[in-house]
Amino acid sequence: MTEQSNAIPDDTESFDPAASSLSGQVDRGIMDELLSIRSSIDNIDATLVFLLAERFKATQKVGVLKATHKLPAGDPGREAAQIARLRRLAEDAHLDPAFAEKFLNFIISEVIRHHEAIAENHQISNHQA
């Protein structure tokens, strides 16, 4: 197996927006409508990925700042305020607030994990200097 075949495939080469186990089983008009809606979902998913990437770039900067000044990785007061805020936003957007909270809790746990790694790397760098 070549090295390239082990690489993550380029989205444009591997993603088939018309992929469906329903192909040939439903009316063509319904399938066309389904694929159209799914195209919108695909665009939203791509946007979410890029937004999350930007969010994590910002939280990496927070992690470096915290590590530099020996601040804790987590900030329970900030986290609680963010969860409450996101729940309100979810309610306003007619999104299940419990889902929004679970989603944010997952992101927060990842951010804290990253901040802890940054702090550990920062400590190692300071000891070597």
Side-chain angles (χ1 to χ4, degrees):
M1 200 175 266
T2 66
E3 191 174 331
Q4 187 170 352
S5 65
N6 289 330
I8 296 173
D10 180 358
D11 182 57
T12 57
E13 293 176 17
S14 66
F15 180 67
D16 177 6
S20 175
S21 57
L22 301 174
S23 294
Q25 297 180 25
V26 297
D27 177 83
R28 186 69 211 161
I30 293 170
M31 196 65 194
D32 288 346
E33 185 176 357
L34 181 62
L35 292 175
S36 175
I37 296 166
R38 285 180 174 173
S39 176
S40 293
I41 292 168
D42 294 344
N43 289 337
I44 293 165
D45 288 347
T47 301
L48 285 171
V49 167
F50 285 105
L51 285 172
L52 284 170
E54 287 302 309
R55 189 186 196 288
F56 276 91
K57 286 177 191 173
T59 61
Q60 289 292 105
K61 291 177 184 178
V62 169
V64 170
L65 186 63
K66 286 180 172 184
T68 302
H69 297 284
K70 296 181 174 45
L71 300 173
D75 184 344
R78 163 77 175 164
E79 294 154 20
Q82 280 293 86
I83 289 168
R85 176 179 169 267
L86 199 67
R87 285 185 68 91
R88 285 191 307 275
L89 289 171
E91 287 173 6
D92 291 346
H94 305 288
L95 178 68
D96 180 5
F99 168 76
E101 183 173 346
K102 287 177 193 174
F103 180 70
L104 186 59
N105 278 326
F106 174 74
I107 291 172
I108 289 169
S109 68
E110 283 298 298
V111 167
I112 290 172
R113 189 176 63 80
H114 291 177
H115 287 185
E116 289 168 345
I118 291 168
E120 185 177 312
N121 290 338
H122 191 267
Q123 261 185 335
I124 291 169
S125 296
N126 284 345
H127 288 305
Q128 291 175 349

